[in-house]
Amino acid sequence: MKASSGALLAVMAVAALATTALAIDYTVDDSLGWDTYVDYEKWIADKVFMVGDTITFKYEPYHNVLEVTEADYGSCATGSPISTHSGGKTTFELGETGTRYFICGIPRHCTNGTMHLKISTVPYDAATAAKMEEAAAAAAPSPASLPSPPADTYADAKAAPAGAPTTSTSAAASASAPRYQQPAAALAGLAIAALVAIAA
């Protein structure tokens, strides 16, 4: 009985890890954020929102984010929201499958036809998550490279120790690193915990 309980625990730990390994934090309309006159249907058209992902609204202080029912979404009703958020940045975790509805509660911002967003969340799928991660990485703007200073500028003034990363190499390394992936140490720790549970 202990072995089967341990195996079940190990399977659950691996499943939980798999669900969050490639989770994506989507920023609503990447460049313009949560604002009027943005086509959010166009923005979601090429995205698959999966359990474990998050969605972040970034907006000016004169906007807000209301999570509402499907009926209130259809009529832009603001009287009884599920939740109300303000402050310029709000993140929602997509923790289960289903559809969630968001509107701006400021008069006419939803009814003008733009500040409403419907997010349908599907079960986690590793292959789809990998494709979405690749698409997000390809769509991300590449950091602008700064020109190198002339060779004789500050050459001897403050030389970094040999092998120490410079600001530009650190930025390049972080820009090329995979996003939202669990550290290898965490994966190894979970694998060891699973083996211990099975052996117990």
Side-chain angles (χ1 to χ4, degrees), residues 95-139:
E96 58 186 46
T97 59
T99 303
R100 294 172 74 174
Y101 303 90
F102 304 96
I103 64 173
C104 180
I106 305 304
R108 295 187 301 277
H109 287 191
C110 176
T111 57
N112 74 7
T114 59
M115 288 194 77
H116 53 87
L117 179 64
K118 176 171 65 172
I119 300 292
S120 296
T121 306
V122 299
Y124 178 83
D125 174 66
T128 304
K131 288 179 189 174
M132 294 309 297
E133 179 65 23
E134 288 174 18

mmCIF file of all heavy atoms in Angstrom, residues 95-139:
data_model
loop_
_atom_site.group_PDB
_atom_site.id
_atom_site.type_symbol
_atom_site.label_atom_id
_atom_site.label_comp_id
_atom_site.label_asym_id
_atom_site.label_seq_id
_atom_site.Cartn_x
_atom_site.Cartn_y
_atom_site.Cartn_z
ATOM 1 N N GLY A 95 -6.172 28.894 -13.538
ATOM 2 C CA GLY A 95 -5.979 27.690 -12.743
ATOM 3 C C GLY A 95 -6.873 26.523 -13.100
ATOM 4 O O GLY A 95 -6.672 25.419 -12.595
ATOM 5 N N GLU A 96 -7.867 26.745 -13.946
ATOM 6 C CA GLU A 96 -8.757 25.643 -14.325
ATOM 7 C C GLU A 96 -9.320 25.905 -15.710
ATOM 8 O O GLU A 96 -9.279 27.028 -16.207
ATOM 9 C CB GLU A 96 -9.881 25.477 -13.302
ATOM 10 C CG GLU A 96 -10.732 26.705 -13.109
ATOM 11 C CD GLU A 96 -11.736 26.550 -11.984
ATOM 12 O OE1 GLU A 96 -11.358 26.065 -10.902
ATOM 13 O OE2 GLU A 96 -12.900 26.921 -12.197
ATOM 14 N N THR A 97 -9.838 24.850 -16.322
ATOM 15 C CA THR A 97 -10.408 24.997 -17.656
ATOM 16 C C THR A 97 -11.713 25.774 -17.570
ATOM 17 O O THR A 97 -12.363 25.812 -16.530
ATOM 18 C CB THR A 97 -10.672 23.623 -18.312
ATOM 19 O OG1 THR A 97 -11.577 22.891 -17.491
ATOM 20 C CG2 THR A 97 -9.383 22.847 -18.499
ATOM 21 N N GLY A 98 -12.086 26.392 -18.667
ATOM 22 C CA GLY A 98 -13.330 27.155 -18.728
ATOM 23 C C GLY A 98 -13.088 28.518 -19.339
ATOM 24 O O GLY A 98 -11.997 28.825 -19.812
ATOM 25 N N THR A 99 -14.123 29.324 -19.333
ATOM 26 C CA THR A 99 -14.050 30.656 -19.934
ATOM 27 C C THR A 99 -14.231 31.714 -18.860
ATOM 28 O O THR A 99 -15.100 31.595 -18.002
ATOM 29 C CB THR A 99 -15.126 30.813 -21.022
ATOM 30 O OG1 THR A 99 -14.949 29.777 -21.996
ATOM 31 C CG2 THR A 99 -15.023 32.158 -21.716
ATOM 32 N N ARG A 100 -13.385 32.737 -18.924
ATOM 33 C CA ARG A 100 -13.461 33.864 -17.996
ATOM 34 C C ARG A 100 -13.681 35.130 -18.809
ATOM 35 O O ARG A 100 -13.175 35.262 -19.930
ATOM 36 C CB ARG A 100 -12.189 33.960 -17.156
ATOM 37 C CG ARG A 100 -12.055 32.734 -16.233
ATOM 38 C CD ARG A 100 -10.756 32.672 -15.517
ATOM 39 N NE ARG A 100 -10.702 33.657 -14.433
ATOM 40 C CZ ARG A 100 -9.680 33.713 -13.571
ATOM 41 N NH1 ARG A 100 -8.668 32.880 -13.670
ATOM 42 N NH2 ARG A 100 -9.681 34.618 -12.609
ATOM 43 N N TYR A 101 -14.394 36.077 -18.199
ATOM 44 C CA TYR A 101 -14.807 37.283 -18.908
ATOM 45 C C TYR A 101 -14.315 38.519 -18.160
ATOM 46 O O TYR A 101 -14.487 38.629 -16.955
ATOM 47 C CB TYR A 101 -16.337 37.315 -19.008
ATOM 48 C CG TYR A 101 -16.903 36.089 -19.679
ATOM 49 C CD1 TYR A 101 -17.251 34.964 -18.933
ATOM 50 C CD2 TYR A 101 -17.063 36.045 -21.061
ATOM 51 C CE1 TYR A 101 -17.756 33.831 -19.545
ATOM 52 C CE2 TYR A 101 -17.575 34.909 -21.680
ATOM 53 C CZ TYR A 101 -17.914 33.809 -20.917
ATOM 54 O OH TYR A 101 -18.406 32.684 -21.530
ATOM 55 N N PHE A 102 -13.714 39.462 -18.906
ATOM 56 C CA PHE A 102 -13.141 40.670 -18.322
ATOM 57 C C PHE A 102 -13.633 41.892 -19.090
ATOM 58 O O PHE A 102 -13.707 41.864 -20.329
ATOM 59 C CB PHE A 102 -11.612 40.609 -18.386
ATOM 60 C CG PHE A 102 -11.033 39.394 -17.731
ATOM 61 C CD1 PHE A 102 -10.708 38.271 -18.467
ATOM 62 C CD2 PHE A 102 -10.819 39.374 -16.360
ATOM 63 C CE1 PHE A 102 -10.174 37.136 -17.863
ATOM 64 C CE2 PHE A 102 -10.279 38.247 -15.743
ATOM 65 C CZ PHE A 102 -9.962 37.133 -16.499
ATOM 66 N N ILE A 103 -13.949 42.959 -18.358
ATOM 67 C CA ILE A 103 -14.346 44.220 -18.973
ATOM 68 C C ILE A 103 -13.720 45.369 -18.184
ATOM 69 O O ILE A 103 -13.260 45.189 -17.062
ATOM 70 C CB ILE A 103 -15.887 44.404 -19.015
ATOM 71 C CG1 ILE A 103 -16.470 44.486 -17.593
ATOM 72 C CG2 ILE A 103 -16.544 43.302 -19.825
ATOM 73 C CD1 ILE A 103 -17.961 44.833 -17.556
ATOM 74 N N CYS A 104 -13.725 46.555 -18.800
ATOM 75 C CA CYS A 104 -13.365 47.767 -18.075
ATOM 76 C C CYS A 104 -14.676 48.339 -17.545
ATOM 77 O O CYS A 104 -15.661 48.442 -18.270
ATOM 78 C CB CYS A 104 -12.678 48.781 -18.988
ATOM 79 S SG CYS A 104 -12.207 50.310 -18.123
ATOM 80 N N GLY A 105 -14.693 48.728 -16.258
ATOM 81 C CA GLY A 105 -15.907 49.222 -15.632
ATOM 82 C C GLY A 105 -16.146 50.713 -15.809
ATOM 83 O O GLY A 105 -17.154 51.239 -15.329
ATOM 84 N N ILE A 106 -15.266 51.415 -16.485
ATOM 85 C CA ILE A 106 -15.445 52.841 -16.710
ATOM 86 C C ILE A 106 -16.529 53.018 -17.785
ATOM 87 O O ILE A 106 -16.510 52.331 -18.802
ATOM 88 C CB ILE A 106 -14.112 53.499 -17.163
ATOM 89 C CG1 ILE A 106 -12.995 53.203 -16.156
ATOM 90 C CG2 ILE A 106 -14.285 54.993 -17.401
ATOM 91 C CD1 ILE A 106 -13.277 53.625 -14.730
ATOM 92 N N PRO A 107 -17.481 53.929 -17.561
ATOM 93 C CA PRO A 107 -18.580 54.098 -18.519
ATOM 94 C C PRO A 107 -18.102 54.222 -19.969
ATOM 95 O O PRO A 107 -17.165 54.948 -20.256
ATOM 96 C CB PRO A 107 -19.273 55.384 -18.044
ATOM 97 C CG PRO A 107 -18.987 55.423 -16.571
ATOM 98 C CD PRO A 107 -17.592 54.848 -16.430
ATOM 99 N N ARG A 108 -18.761 53.484 -20.820
ATOM 100 C CA ARG A 108 -18.561 53.439 -22.281
ATOM 101 C C ARG A 108 -17.266 52.747 -22.728
ATOM 102 O O ARG A 108 -17.078 52.543 -23.918
ATOM 103 C CB ARG A 108 -18.681 54.831 -22.893
ATOM 104 C CG ARG A 108 -20.059 55.427 -22.781
ATOM 105 C CD ARG A 108 -20.189 56.732 -23.541
ATOM 106 N NE ARG A 108 -19.273 57.764 -23.110
ATOM 107 C CZ ARG A 108 -19.453 58.573 -22.071
ATOM 108 N NH1 ARG A 108 -20.516 58.452 -21.328
ATOM 109 N NH2 ARG A 108 -18.562 59.503 -21.770
ATOM 110 N N HIS A 109 -16.371 52.369 -21.837
ATOM 111 C CA HIS A 109 -15.143 51.708 -22.285
ATOM 112 C C HIS A 109 -15.422 50.294 -22.788
ATOM 113 O O HIS A 109 -14.755 49.830 -23.703
ATOM 114 C CB HIS A 109 -14.091 51.683 -21.179
ATOM 115 C CG HIS A 109 -13.485 53.027 -20.933
ATOM 116 N ND1 HIS A 109 -12.375 53.200 -20.153
ATOM 117 C CD2 HIS A 109 -13.837 54.269 -21.358
ATOM 118 C CE1 HIS A 109 -12.059 54.492 -20.108
ATOM 119 N NE2 HIS A 109 -12.945 55.152 -20.823
ATOM 120 N N CYS A 110 -16.373 49.615 -22.195
ATOM 121 C CA CYS A 110 -16.758 48.292 -22.685
ATOM 122 C C CYS A 110 -17.756 48.424 -23.826
ATOM 123 O O CYS A 110 -17.630 47.760 -24.847
ATOM 124 C CB CYS A 110 -17.351 47.454 -21.552
ATOM 125 S SG CYS A 110 -17.967 45.832 -22.068
ATOM 126 N N THR A 111 -18.734 49.305 -23.651
ATOM 127 C CA THR A 111 -19.794 49.417 -24.660
ATOM 128 C C THR A 111 -19.307 50.004 -25.975
ATOM 129 O O THR A 111 -19.975 49.855 -26.994
ATOM 130 C CB THR A 111 -20.978 50.259 -24.131
ATOM 131 O OG1 THR A 111 -20.491 51.542 -23.728
ATOM 132 C CG2 THR A 111 -21.663 49.566 -22.972
ATOM 133 N N ASN A 112 -18.159 50.668 -25.978
ATOM 134 C CA ASN A 112 -17.647 51.188 -27.250
ATOM 135 C C ASN A 112 -17.151 50.050 -28.147
ATOM 136 O O ASN A 112 -16.740 50.268 -29.273
ATOM 137 C CB ASN A 112 -16.561 52.243 -27.036
ATOM 138 C CG ASN A 112 -15.227 51.678 -26.589
ATOM 139 O OD1 ASN A 112 -15.018 50.467 -26.532
ATOM 140 N ND2 ASN A 112 -14.304 52.555 -26.245
ATOM 141 N N GLY A 113 -17.168 48.832 -27.605
ATOM 142 C CA GLY A 113 -16.840 47.671 -28.420
ATOM 143 C C GLY A 113 -15.429 47.156 -28.270
ATOM 144 O O GLY A 113 -15.040 46.225 -28.966
ATOM 145 N N THR A 114 -14.638 47.746 -27.355
ATOM 146 C CA THR A 114 -13.253 47.292 -27.298
ATOM 147 C C THR A 114 -12.797 46.743 -25.956
ATOM 148 O O THR A 114 -12.109 45.737 -25.927
ATOM 149 C CB THR A 114 -12.286 48.419 -27.706
ATOM 150 O OG1 THR A 114 -12.457 49.522 -26.832
ATOM 151 C CG2 THR A 114 -12.514 48.851 -29.138
ATOM 152 N N MET A 115 -13.104 47.366 -24.847
ATOM 153 C CA MET A 115 -12.489 46.948 -23.581
ATOM 154 C C MET A 115 -13.257 45.815 -22.926
ATOM 155 O O MET A 115 -13.819 45.939 -21.840
ATOM 156 C CB MET A 115 -12.304 48.128 -22.638
ATOM 157 C CG MET A 115 -11.189 49.051 -23.129
ATOM 158 S SD MET A 115 -10.648 50.229 -21.902
ATOM 159 C CE MET A 115 -9.637 49.203 -20.868
ATOM 160 N N HIS A 116 -13.253 44.697 -23.625
ATOM 161 C CA HIS A 116 -13.801 43.452 -23.098
ATOM 162 C C HIS A 116 -12.986 42.315 -23.681
ATOM 163 O O HIS A 116 -12.521 42.363 -24.810
ATOM 164 C CB HIS A 116 -15.297 43.308 -23.415
ATOM 165 C CG HIS A 116 -15.626 43.479 -24.866
ATOM 166 N ND1 HIS A 116 -15.584 42.447 -25.775
ATOM 167 C CD2 HIS A 116 -15.986 44.573 -25.566
ATOM 168 C CE1 HIS A 116 -15.922 42.890 -26.973
ATOM 169 N NE2 HIS A 116 -16.167 44.189 -26.868
ATOM 170 N N LEU A 117 -12.769 41.303 -22.864
ATOM 171 C CA LEU A 117 -11.890 40.207 -23.257
ATOM 172 C C LEU A 117 -12.421 38.899 -22.694
ATOM 173 O O LEU A 117 -12.746 38.814 -21.509
ATOM 174 C CB LEU A 117 -10.481 40.471 -22.719
ATOM 175 C CG LEU A 117 -9.402 39.424 -22.989
ATOM 176 C CD1 LEU A 117 -9.128 39.293 -24.481
ATOM 177 C CD2 LEU A 117 -8.121 39.798 -22.256
ATOM 178 N N LYS A 118 -12.526 37.908 -23.559
ATOM 179 C CA LYS A 118 -12.988 36.572 -23.172
ATOM 180 C C LYS A 118 -11.822 35.610 -23.328
ATOM 181 O O LYS A 118 -11.245 35.499 -24.404
ATOM 182 C CB LYS A 118 -14.162 36.150 -24.062
ATOM 183 C CG LYS A 118 -14.653 34.746 -23.801
ATOM 184 C CD LYS A 118 -15.955 34.432 -24.540
ATOM 185 C CE LYS A 118 -15.779 34.431 -26.025
ATOM 186 N NZ LYS A 118 -16.972 33.938 -26.738
ATOM 187 N N ILE A 119 -11.463 34.937 -22.232
ATOM 188 C CA ILE A 119 -10.332 34.006 -22.234
ATOM 189 C C ILE A 119 -10.849 32.594 -21.987
ATOM 190 O O ILE A 119 -11.436 32.320 -20.942
ATOM 191 C CB ILE A 119 -9.302 34.362 -21.142
ATOM 192 C CG1 ILE A 119 -8.741 35.757 -21.347
ATOM 193 C CG2 ILE A 119 -8.179 33.319 -21.077
ATOM 194 C CD1 ILE A 119 -7.871 35.919 -22.570
ATOM 195 N N SER A 120 -10.634 31.714 -22.937
ATOM 196 C CA SER A 120 -11.002 30.309 -22.778
ATOM 197 C C SER A 120 -9.745 29.520 -22.466
ATOM 198 O O SER A 120 -8.767 29.561 -23.223
ATOM 199 C CB SER A 120 -11.659 29.776 -24.047
ATOM 200 O OG SER A 120 -12.873 30.469 -24.279
ATOM 201 N N THR A 121 -9.774 28.811 -21.345
ATOM 202 C CA THR A 121 -8.612 28.061 -20.873
ATOM 203 C C THR A 121 -8.843 26.580 -21.110
ATOM 204 O O THR A 121 -9.899 26.043 -20.765
ATOM 205 C CB THR A 121 -8.381 28.323 -19.371
ATOM 206 O OG1 THR A 121 -8.293 29.726 -19.169
ATOM 207 C CG2 THR A 121 -7.103 27.664 -18.890
ATOM 208 N N VAL A 122 -7.853 25.928 -21.704
ATOM 209 C CA VAL A 122 -7.932 24.501 -22.009
ATOM 210 C C VAL A 122 -6.954 23.736 -21.119
ATOM 211 O O VAL A 122 -6.059 24.328 -20.529
ATOM 212 C CB VAL A 122 -7.629 24.237 -23.508
ATOM 213 C CG1 VAL A 122 -8.636 24.948 -24.404
ATOM 214 C CG2 VAL A 122 -6.217 24.667 -23.866
ATOM 215 N N PRO A 123 -7.110 22.414 -21.025
ATOM 216 C CA PRO A 123 -6.155 21.635 -20.218
ATOM 217 C C PRO A 123 -4.735 21.792 -20.756
ATOM 218 O O PRO A 123 -4.521 22.015 -21.942
ATOM 219 C CB PRO A 123 -6.632 20.189 -20.373
ATOM 220 C CG PRO A 123 -8.061 20.298 -20.777
ATOM 221 C CD PRO A 123 -8.162 21.569 -21.583
ATOM 222 N N TYR A 124 -3.778 21.636 -19.868
ATOM 223 C CA TYR A 124 -2.374 21.742 -20.243
ATOM 224 C C TYR A 124 -2.002 20.638 -21.228
ATOM 225 O O TYR A 124 -2.392 19.484 -21.070
ATOM 226 C CB TYR A 124 -1.475 21.648 -19.004
ATOM 227 C CG TYR A 124 -0.009 21.704 -19.350
ATOM 228 C CD1 TYR A 124 0.614 22.920 -19.545
ATOM 229 C CD2 TYR A 124 0.734 20.544 -19.505
ATOM 230 C CE1 TYR A 124 1.956 22.989 -19.884
ATOM 231 C CE2 TYR A 124 2.077 20.606 -19.843
ATOM 232 C CZ TYR A 124 2.675 21.829 -20.029
ATOM 233 O OH TYR A 124 3.994 21.886 -20.374
ATOM 234 N N ASP A 125 -1.239 20.990 -22.252
ATOM 235 C CA ASP A 125 -0.719 20.036 -23.233
ATOM 236 C C ASP A 125 0.723 20.451 -23.527
ATOM 237 O O ASP A 125 0.964 21.572 -23.985
ATOM 238 C CB ASP A 125 -1.563 20.075 -24.511
ATOM 239 C CG ASP A 125 -0.980 19.206 -25.608
ATOM 240 O OD1 ASP A 125 -0.953 17.974 -25.439
ATOM 241 O OD2 ASP A 125 -0.530 19.774 -26.632
ATOM 242 N N ALA A 126 1.667 19.569 -23.257
ATOM 243 C CA ALA A 126 3.091 19.903 -23.375
ATOM 244 C C ALA A 126 3.476 20.326 -24.783
ATOM 245 O O ALA A 126 4.229 21.290 -24.963
ATOM 246 C CB ALA A 126 3.944 18.730 -22.925
ATOM 247 N N ALA A 127 2.967 19.639 -25.792
ATOM 248 C CA ALA A 127 3.336 19.969 -27.168
ATOM 249 C C ALA A 127 2.825 21.366 -27.546
ATOM 250 O O ALA A 127 3.549 22.164 -28.138
ATOM 251 C CB ALA A 127 2.788 18.916 -28.135
ATOM 252 N N THR A 128 1.588 21.660 -27.190
ATOM 253 C CA THR A 128 1.027 22.979 -27.482
ATOM 254 C C THR A 128 1.762 24.052 -26.691
ATOM 255 O O THR A 128 2.032 25.136 -27.205
ATOM 256 C CB THR A 128 -0.479 23.006 -27.160
ATOM 257 O OG1 THR A 128 -1.118 21.968 -27.898
ATOM 258 C CG2 THR A 128 -1.106 24.337 -27.517
ATOM 259 N N ALA A 129 2.095 23.758 -25.435
ATOM 260 C CA ALA A 129 2.820 24.724 -24.606
ATOM 261 C C ALA A 129 4.160 25.071 -25.242
ATOM 262 O O ALA A 129 4.555 26.237 -25.271
ATOM 263 C CB ALA A 129 3.016 24.173 -23.199
ATOM 264 N N ALA A 130 4.854 24.079 -25.753
ATOM 265 C CA ALA A 130 6.148 24.323 -26.390
ATOM 266 C C ALA A 130 5.986 25.205 -27.629
ATOM 267 O O ALA A 130 6.774 26.126 -27.862
ATOM 268 C CB ALA A 130 6.818 22.998 -26.747
ATOM 269 N N LYS A 131 4.937 24.947 -28.424
ATOM 270 C CA LYS A 131 4.690 25.767 -29.620
ATOM 271 C C LYS A 131 4.357 27.206 -29.235
ATOM 272 O O LYS A 131 4.826 28.147 -29.869
ATOM 273 C CB LYS A 131 3.537 25.176 -30.437
ATOM 274 C CG LYS A 131 3.892 23.900 -31.162
ATOM 275 C CD LYS A 131 2.691 23.364 -31.915
ATOM 276 C CE LYS A 131 2.987 21.979 -32.467
ATOM 277 N NZ LYS A 131 1.804 21.375 -33.070
ATOM 278 N N MET A 132 3.538 27.375 -28.195
ATOM 279 C CA MET A 132 3.173 28.723 -27.762
ATOM 280 C C MET A 132 4.397 29.456 -27.213
ATOM 281 O O MET A 132 4.560 30.654 -27.433
ATOM 282 C CB MET A 132 2.057 28.675 -26.708
ATOM 283 C CG MET A 132 0.728 28.144 -27.224
ATOM 284 S SD MET A 132 0.124 28.940 -28.730
ATOM 285 C CE MET A 132 -0.098 30.603 -28.181
ATOM 286 N N GLU A 133 5.260 28.750 -26.510
ATOM 287 C CA GLU A 133 6.481 29.349 -25.972
ATOM 288 C C GLU A 133 7.386 29.802 -27.112
ATOM 289 O O GLU A 133 7.951 30.893 -27.077
ATOM 290 C CB GLU A 133 7.210 28.351 -25.072
ATOM 291 C CG GLU A 133 8.490 28.876 -24.481
ATOM 292 C CD GLU A 133 8.312 30.036 -23.523
ATOM 293 O OE1 GLU A 133 7.221 30.202 -22.966
ATOM 294 O OE2 GLU A 133 9.277 30.793 -23.342
ATOM 295 N N GLU A 134 7.522 28.981 -28.145
ATOM 296 C CA GLU A 134 8.338 29.352 -29.303
ATOM 297 C C GLU A 134 7.754 30.579 -29.998
ATOM 298 O O GLU A 134 8.477 31.487 -30.386
ATOM 299 C CB GLU A 134 8.424 28.183 -30.287
ATOM 300 C CG GLU A 134 9.290 27.040 -29.813
ATOM 301 C CD GLU A 134 9.239 25.846 -30.761
ATOM 302 O OE1 GLU A 134 8.818 26.000 -31.928
ATOM 303 O OE2 GLU A 134 9.615 24.744 -30.328
ATOM 304 N N ALA A 135 6.423 30.598 -30.152
ATOM 305 C CA ALA A 135 5.772 31.736 -30.800
ATOM 306 C C ALA A 135 5.955 33.004 -29.984
ATOM 307 O O ALA A 135 6.217 34.080 -30.531
ATOM 308 C CB ALA A 135 4.283 31.452 -31.006
ATOM 309 N N ALA A 136 5.837 32.897 -28.653
ATOM 310 C CA ALA A 136 6.019 34.062 -27.780
ATOM 311 C C ALA A 136 7.450 34.572 -27.862
ATOM 312 O O ALA A 136 7.691 35.773 -27.903
ATOM 313 C CB ALA A 136 5.652 33.712 -26.342
ATOM 314 N N ALA A 137 8.412 33.663 -27.899
ATOM 315 C CA ALA A 137 9.820 34.061 -27.980
ATOM 316 C C ALA A 137 10.113 34.727 -29.327
ATOM 317 O O ALA A 137 10.850 35.709 -29.399
ATOM 318 C CB ALA A 137 10.721 32.860 -27.769
ATOM 319 N N ALA A 138 9.516 34.209 -30.400
ATOM 320 C CA ALA A 138 9.740 34.779 -31.721
ATOM 321 C C ALA A 138 9.104 36.162 -31.839
ATOM 322 O O ALA A 138 9.636 37.040 -32.512
ATOM 323 C CB ALA A 138 9.173 33.852 -32.795
ATOM 324 N N ALA A 139 7.980 36.367 -31.161
ATOM 325 C CA ALA A 139 7.278 37.645 -31.237
ATOM 326 C C ALA A 139 7.880 38.698 -30.329
ATOM 327 O O ALA A 139 7.657 39.891 -30.529
ATOM 328 C CB ALA A 139 5.806 37.452 -30.874
#
